[in-house]
Amino acid sequence: MIEFDKFTLKNGLRVIVHRDETTPMAAVNILYNIGAKDENPERTGFAHLFEHLMFGGSVNIPNYDEPLQLVGGDNNAWTNNDITNYYLTVPKANLETAFWLESDRMLSLAFSEKSLEVQRSVVIEEFKQRYFNQPYGDVWLHLRPLAYKEHPYQWPTIGKSIDHIEKVTLEEVKDFFFHHYAPNNAIMVVAGNVDTQQVKELSEKWFAPIERREVPERNLPVEPVQNEFRSKRIDSNVPFDAIYMAFHMGKRMDEDFYIVDLVSDVLSNGQSSRIFQSLVKEKNLFSSIDAYITGEFEPGLFLVTGKLVEGVTMENAEAAIWEELNRIATTKVDAYELQKVKNKVESTLVFSEISYLNKAMTLATHELLGEADDINKEVDKYQKVSVDDILNSSAKLFRKENCSTLYYYSKK
Amino acid sequence: MENLHRNTAPKFKTVDSIEILPSQKHSLSNNIPVHIISGGSQDVVKIEFIFNAGIWHQKKPLIATLTSTMLNEGTNSMTASEIAEKFDFLGAHVGFSASKHDANVTLYSLKKHFSETLTLTADLIKDSIFPEKEFSTILTNKKQQYQIEHQKTNVLAKEKFTQMIYGGNHPYSNTYDISEFDNCKRQDIIDFYKKHYTPSNCLIIIAGKVDDNVLAQVDYLFGEGKWTDQSKSADCKHEIIESKEKSAFVCKNDAVQSTIRIGRKLFTKTHPDYTGMQLLNLILGGYFGSRLMQNIREDKGYTYGINSIIISHLKDGHFTIVTEVGAEVCKAAVQEIFIEIERLREEIVSEEELTLVKNYISGEMLRNLDSPFALSDGLRGNLPFGFDNSYFQKFIKDLKAVTAKKLLDLANEYLKPEDLYLIVSGPKECEEAIVFPK
């Protein structure tokens, strides 16, 4: 049970406080409700580029990192298709420095040409490092547009291509900031060795003076139902063939999200899971294989990805995966097997609650999705899933016409 | 509210000392040392078994790692899938790793299932049989991983670097040809297991919600005469052979970025200059605000990231700078790295910068040592050197005493360009980046 207090400032900023006395630290996590799905299709990668710019100095504080490091703090941020999340940790005595820094960059950025120029290059190098300088690194650049034809999930957070990032102007940057980085579009969680009264006072002092802003209503295109099997072949300079299968599933807040998450666990969470045991250990078809969900807020994907053992044909590998998917879609899992994955979920949650920073991030996400207190209902939602639920959801998911498959061939 | 001074930083406190949960030392009935760090908010236990069974002790490549990986692949009473099934059902995680000197078996368990999960773990440690079929599957999969890893310029550059400073056959470089996968035999693994996974080679660290029952259980399973005892394995000797060549280029023509590595052999953390060098390393490339990061990423945009680190193995250590950059800026990046090194050797570090890094590193230690699990990792790192976690308090104290003048001396002693190795891995045109300063 994670306990917390919650209040909202007049400008719309939601604040959540979680006290954890076991640490000498405090975490401040600010989630902005803006992700790559909100981008213009001609300027993809923008939300992520913008995240980089948020470290380029704010209106009253020319350097973000230095003053934080001076008080023993550390920070980072990440962007995905749904949100942008900034976090920092400081020794508890220096909590006010965090409020000072974060409120100033919510107030306004410094907006410099130099910062834009440099971060553009940095992000281009990041693009190359993650997507092109790793074997199989470009998979998502192919798989997303295969699975999504209309919805902005068709591009990865880094963007569709490098030239989108090259074209961004400072005007666009400013416009983006004032439309999305608003107190009324953010959730702040303060977790660690803190008390609510102190957080209230600091929030009033530093964040309350920031004015509420116009945030455009989100109006995302709806992905049409996929009616036919899609596939794409890539020939690349990698050592082994690989296969990537994507199935459309529901959104994060759908009732069957928890069911589908457990389906992925039955198939591939842990060494005892089905596809690891059967396809890696018994049949020796794959050197590694995984089934997992993207967990995105809008309708997401269920993925099965594997690297083939040398000498195994793509046809045999694909057929063996389908055999496992058809089995879970037509035959009930045993009650014991279902209980096993539920136990594992429960245990994972207990271990995740050791970290005050992790709790801060999870509270923020739950608050955005509905209500922070949902964090305490997760286990029950998983426990409620039945053997029939697993069968029904699997049958709905694992249909050929709901599948996009990327065949990734080794050129060697 | 109109009195809010946004351009002035709020007052702050520096971390002058850190409070660390102490560890208690016990011994099992057969003298296996047990260190306990008790505390934390969740009802969980982490127990780690540390054996002198790392790469240092192997006679052939791959043996230590494969032995460790295969500990959960079957015992006289359970098959690999039964073992996996039982741990998964209890929501426990058991991990295996072999490092340079040690090999670790780490169990993470909910407190309520500790008795059962520990019993399973005991079976793996004391009674593994390394079945032939599992051996061949794991060997095939590891060989594929090796081939995938060797497509990466950072892996190629790292191998070359450690080969040059320690010698190709030294455990600290641990580089081997792909043909070694075919030379590796199951019997090698069994022999290594019997020789090294014994009570006299074992050390235990327990962290989390630890009570007397936990310790009694550990003693029952590991402290009594049910576990074959053998004499402690003799220490192996390995000679370091540093390369006379100071630079190397590893060609990878289809790479879109090149990896640069610059560094040298240094010393272990028992060396009197270790603390000072940690601080110097931090300033140069050890944190986000470091000079290399500020210059090469934040000013020039040549890279997504650049870091420098000091590695202390048990018997030796090294310092290295590493980054991945676009081919077209590779030469410029190498030059900028040397410029930053020269600055450390010529200009005294300002008091502002010195204060900042000292404060930052104190905060970092507070951050990294705030839970029993993190402290058990710290203890694992300290024990081989004869320290316990009070080392960290001493480290902070020593760190605060380091002066700017001392850093200048250290830079001149340890960062002379002629002592540094320079490795680039990337497309052919990056070979021209290999230029030492005049």
Side-chain angles (χ1 to χ4, degrees):
Chain A
M1 177 80 183
I2 298 179
E3 288 174 3
F4 58 89
D5 292 316
K6 189 163 109 179
F7 57 91
T8 304
L9 301 184
K10 284 204 186 71
N11 59 16
L13 177 68
R14 287 180 267 175
V15 185
I16 292 166
V17 189
H18 166 66
R19 182 171 177 80
D20 177 348
E21 290 175 55
T22 64
T23 173
M25 307 297 292
V28 175
N29 186 84
I30 303 191
L31 179 161
Y32 287 97
N33 185 11
I34 169 75
K37 69 184 175 190
D38 300 301
E39 290 162 349
N40 172 344
E42 302 305 313
R43 283 288 185 279
T44 64
F46 194 102
H48 169 249
L49 170 65
F50 192 85
E51 172 211 313
H52 279 247
L53 297 171
M54 282 285 275
F55 294 93
S58 54
V59 59
N60 298 296
I61 309 171
N63 185 318
Y64 176 89
D65 287 291
E66 259 180 46
L68 185 65
Q69 288 152 359
L70 184 66
V71 307
D74 198 20
N75 73 95
N76 213 331
W78 45 266
T79 311
N80 66 24
N81 288 64
D82 296 307
I83 59 171
T84 310
N85 192 71
Y86 297 83
Y87 61 92
L88 62 78
T89 53
V90 282
K92 64 176 180 178
N94 298 334
L95 185 60
E96 184 157 9
T97 306
F99 277 77
W100 169 63
L101 285 165
E102 290 297 335
S103 66
D104 203 53
R105 62 177 182 177
M106 188 184 282
L107 184 69
S108 177
L109 281 191
F111 299 116
S112 91
E113 282 287 357
K114 160 92 184 171
S115 174
L116 177 59
E117 202 48 54
V118 167
Q119 291 311 320
R120 220 198 310 255
S121 308
V122 170
V123 169
I124 290 169
E125 290 307 321
E126 180 181 359
F127 205 136
K128 290 184 193 164
Q129 187 170 323
R130 288 178 190 245
Y131 288 75
F132 299 125
N133 218 36
Q134 312 287 337
Y136 315 97
D138 60 350
V139 162
W140 284 101
L141 292 171
H142 298 292
L143 193 55
R144 282 190 174 274
L146 189 64
Y148 290 103
K149 297 299 167 194
E150 298 293 331
H151 194 276
Y153 281 172
Q154 67 188 263
W155 56 83
T157 311
I158 196 87
K160 280 182 191 170
S161 77
I162 286 175
D163 60 300
H164 282 196
I165 295 160
E166 280 167 347
K167 285 183 198 146
V168 170
T169 67
L170 199 58
E171 269 323 295
E172 289 172 310
V173 171
K174 283 185 188 167
D175 190 62
F176 190 84
F177 178 83
F178 288 107
H179 279 102
H180 299 292
Y181 280 74
N184 42 317
N185 205 33
I187 294 159
M188 174 161 76
V189 181
V190 186
N193 210 326
V194 296
D195 73 69
T196 302
Q197 193 48 39
Q198 174 198 19
V199 172
K200 260 189 187 152
E201 284 162 19
L202 289 172
S203 301
E204 282 296 336
K205 177 175 172 185
W206 293 103
F207 283 92
I210 303 170
E211 281 181 28
R212 177 187 283 273
R213 295 178 188 136
E214 285 290 332
V215 177
E217 203 178 321
R218 192 173 264 154
N219 204 349
L220 298 175
V222 175
E223 182 64 23
V225 174
Q226 183 176 339
N227 285 320
E228 52 183 13
F229 176 73
R230 295 176 194 152
S231 68
K232 183 175 179 181
R233 176 189 173 119
I234 302 288
D235 291 88
S236 183
N237 200 7
V238 292
F240 306 102
D241 296 346
I243 187 167
Y244 299 84
M245 298 163 74
F247 298 86
H248 290 280
M249 60 173 279
K251 57 180 189 290
R252 180 67 179 80
M253 292 309 283
D254 280 353
E255 271 188 24
D256 73 351
F257 176 85
Y258 298 89
I259 303 170
V260 174
D261 196 13
L262 288 181
V263 169
S264 77
D265 288 346
V266 169
L267 289 173
S268 107
N269 188 356
Q271 293 227 347
S272 74
S273 63
R274 288 186 175 193
I275 59 175
F276 182 78
Q277 280 298 325
S278 104
L279 305 184
V280 177
K281 301 274 286 193
E282 282 162 34
K283 297 183 183 157
N284 297 128
L285 296 171
F286 292 89
S287 64
S288 65
I289 190 159
D290 205 3
Y292 59 99
I293 58 174
T294 54
E296 288 165 322
F297 295 179
E298 315 278 333
L301 297 174
F302 186 108
L303 290 130
V304 183
T305 70
K307 295 202 175 71
L308 279 60
V309 165
E310 195 154 29
V312 172
T313 66
M314 190 67 88
E315 292 70 28
N316 287 348
E318 186 181 22
I321 293 176
W322 274 108
E323 201 181 309
E324 285 298 330
L325 301 181
N326 289 333
R327 179 156 80 99
I328 199 169
T330 53
T331 317
K332 282 186 189 178
V333 295
D334 186 282
Y336 167 87
E337 195 178 7
L338 181 57
Q339 193 55 49
K340 177 181 75 181
V341 294
K342 288 179 181 176
N343 291 350
K344 208 153 166 129
V345 164
E346 191 168 349
S347 164
T348 304
L349 286 168
V350 172
F351 278 100
S352 75
E353 288 173 10
I354 292 173
S355 156
Y356 60 101
L357 177 60
N358 192 50
K359 284 185 280 188
M361 288 186 192
T362 316
L363 280 165
T365 309
H366 279 289
E367 177 66 16
L368 178 67
L369 284 166
E371 164 66 49
D373 192 45
D374 289 342
I375 199 171
N376 294 315
K377 296 173 185 157
E378 290 274 283
V379 169
D380 284 346
K381 287 177 181 165
Y382 283 105
Q383 287 299 357
K384 260 201 253 160
V385 173
S386 73
V387 163
D388 290 317
D389 291 335
I390 298 283
L391 186 73
N392 296 338
S393 287
S394 299
K396 223 172 87 188
L397 264 177
F398 303 130
R399 292 171 295 117
K400 191 109 190 188
E401 63 273 22
N402 188 36
C403 179
S404 304
T405 300
L406 186 65
Y407 303 109
Y408 206 105
Y409 283 95
S410 161
K411 261 201 249 176
K412 108 183 151 167
Chain B
M1 287 300 157
E2 45 285 359
N3 291 327
L4 201 57
H5 297 295
R6 288 196 179 271
N7 42 20
T8 315
K11 289 199 178 60
F12 67 95
K13 286 188 186 150
T14 53
V15 178
D16 293 318
S17 63
I18 52 177
E19 278 186 36
I20 284 173
L21 272 179
S23 57
Q24 284 100 37
K25 195 180 168 187
H26 301 266
S27 285
L28 300 188
S29 312
N30 56 358
N31 296 325
I32 295 180
V34 181
H35 298 263
I36 293 176
I37 299 164
S38 186
S41 56
Q42 305 300 118
D43 285 327
V44 291
V45 180
K46 170 188 175 189
I47 179 164
E48 186 161 17
F49 299 86
I50 301 159
F51 295 94
N52 286 317
I55 291 156
W56 188 270
H57 304 282
Q58 70 191 11
K59 297 278 184 288
K60 282 163 70 176
L62 288 162
I63 303 300
T65 314
L66 280 167
T67 307
S68 146
T69 306
M70 282 202 67
L71 284 173
N72 64 341
E73 295 296 330
T75 67
N76 277 309
S77 56
M78 291 183 291
T79 64
S81 67
E82 285 165 354
I83 294 166
E85 195 68 46
K86 288 180 177 168
F87 278 110
D88 282 347
F89 191 82
L90 297 168
H93 176 76
V94 59
F96 307 88
S97 69
S99 55
K100 301 297 185 216
H101 288 270
D102 301 330
N104 306 329
V105 177
T106 311
L107 168 69
Y108 291 88
S109 175
L110 297 175
K111 177 80 190 295
K112 63 180 176 182
H113 297 316
F114 182 71
S115 172
E116 280 168 277
T117 54
L118 187 71
T119 306
L120 290 169
T121 308
D123 199 32
L124 307 186
I125 290 176
K126 291 153 67 172
D127 198 24
S128 266
I129 55 168
F130 309 93
E132 186 65 51
K133 181 177 186 313
E134 320 291 342
F135 174 72
S136 100
T137 301
I138 283 171
L139 204 60
T140 307
N141 295 350
K142 288 238 178 232
K143 188 176 173 185
Q144 286 203 197
Q145 277 169 21
Y146 175 99
Q147 285 166 279
I148 293 168
E149 285 298 302
H150 282 74
Q151 294 261 307
K152 300 176 182 169
T153 56
N154 62 357
V155 172
L156 299 173
K158 183 181 181 183
E159 281 207 346
K160 193 72 186 171
F161 173 73
T162 54
Q163 279 171 12
M164 290 179 90
I165 61 165
Y166 293 119
N169 292 321
H170 195 274
Y172 291 168
S173 68
N174 189 34
T175 52
Y176 47 88
D177 190 77
I178 188 158
S179 62
E180 294 293 346
F181 285 91
D182 302 322
N183 296 334
C184 184
K185 300 284 173 285
R186 176 177 166 246
Q187 192 58 43
D188 298 330
I189 309 287
I190 295 173
D191 294 344
F192 190 80
Y193 168 70
K194 291 205 168 137
K195 187 166 173 198
H196 295 286
Y197 286 82
T198 66
S200 48
N201 275 325
C202 181
L203 167 76
I204 297 172
I205 301 175
I206 317 176
K209 286 288 171 66
V210 189
D211 56 26
D212 291 349
N213 283 339
V214 166
L215 191 59
Q217 176 95 14
V218 173
D219 195 39
Y220 173 71
L221 288 165
F222 295 91
E224 308 199 356
K226 297 165 197 162
W227 187 7
T228 2
D229 202 348
Q230 304 216 355
S231 53
K232 207 174 172 79
S233 43
D235 196 7
C236 300
K237 296 265 181 291
H238 297 282
E239 197 188 346
I240 288 177
I241 305 168
E242 272 192 273
S243 160
K244 294 203 174 56
E245 296 294 319
K246 289 288 180 182
S247 67
F249 177 70
V250 188
C251 191
K252 173 99 176 64
N253 259 330
D254 57 349
V256 298
Q257 281 181 324
S258 59
T259 296
I260 301 167
R261 239 177 214 271
I262 295 176
R264 60 166 293 167
K265 195 163 79 61
L266 205 57
F267 39 58
T268 75
K269 70 177 176 188
T270 55
H271 193 280
D273 286 337
Y274 180 79
T275 311
M277 279 305 285
Q278 280 287 348
L279 206 54
L280 192 67
N281 175 68
L282 198 70
I283 291 169
L284 181 62
Y287 74 125
F288 194 83
S290 73
R291 292 180 176 191
L292 288 173
M293 199 74 155
Q294 290 308 308
N295 178 349
I296 291 160
R297 174 179 147 134
E298 293 297 292
D299 186 58
K300 310 230 167 37
Y302 289 166
T303 181
Y304 177 48
I306 181 163
N307 300 293
S308 68
I309 47 167
I310 291 175
I311 298 285
S312 169
H313 297 306
L314 188 59
K315 294 172 193 267
D316 219 310
H318 63 265
F319 155 81
T320 178
I321 297 164
V322 59
T323 185
E324 290 177 48
V325 299
E328 64 291 351
V329 295
C330 187
K331 190 173 179 181
V334 169
Q335 287 170 350
E336 289 300 328
I337 293 170
F338 280 117
I339 287 172
E340 290 301 340
I341 290 170
E342 276 313 290
R343 273 183 62 209
L344 284 175
R345 298 179 66 226
E346 285 166 5
E347 297 166 18
I348 196 136
V349 173
S350 72
E351 279 308 312
E352 287 80 11
E353 189 174 4
L354 192 59
T355 305
L356 186 140
V357 292
K358 285 180 178 178
N359 289 358
Y360 174 76
I361 204 170
S362 314
E364 191 64 8
M365 295 198 67
L366 206 58
R367 188 176 356 265
N368 290 340
L369 298 172
D370 82 330
S371 77
F373 285 8
L375 285 166
S376 77
D377 290 339
L379 193 61
R380 188 187 59 213
N382 285 330
L383 288 172
F385 294 95
F387 308 145
D388 64 14
N389 278 354
S390 63
Y391 167 81
F392 295 118
Q393 276 131 333
K394 182 177 178 310
F395 180 84
I396 291 280
K397 203 167 139 261
D398 292 350
L399 186 85
K400 300 261 174 190
V402 177
T403 61
K405 172 69 174 62
K406 177 72 183 170
L407 292 175
L408 191 68
D409 294 344
L410 290 172
N412 277 295
E413 185 166 355
Y414 296 110
L415 298 182
K416 292 197 267 296
E418 62 268 29
D419 292 341
L420 298 173
Y421 289 83
L422 164 57
I423 289 92
V424 173
S425 174
K428 188 71 190 143
E429 67 262 33
C430 293
E431 189 165 7
E432 64 172 38
I434 300 186
V435 183
F436 282 92
K438 288 277 174 279

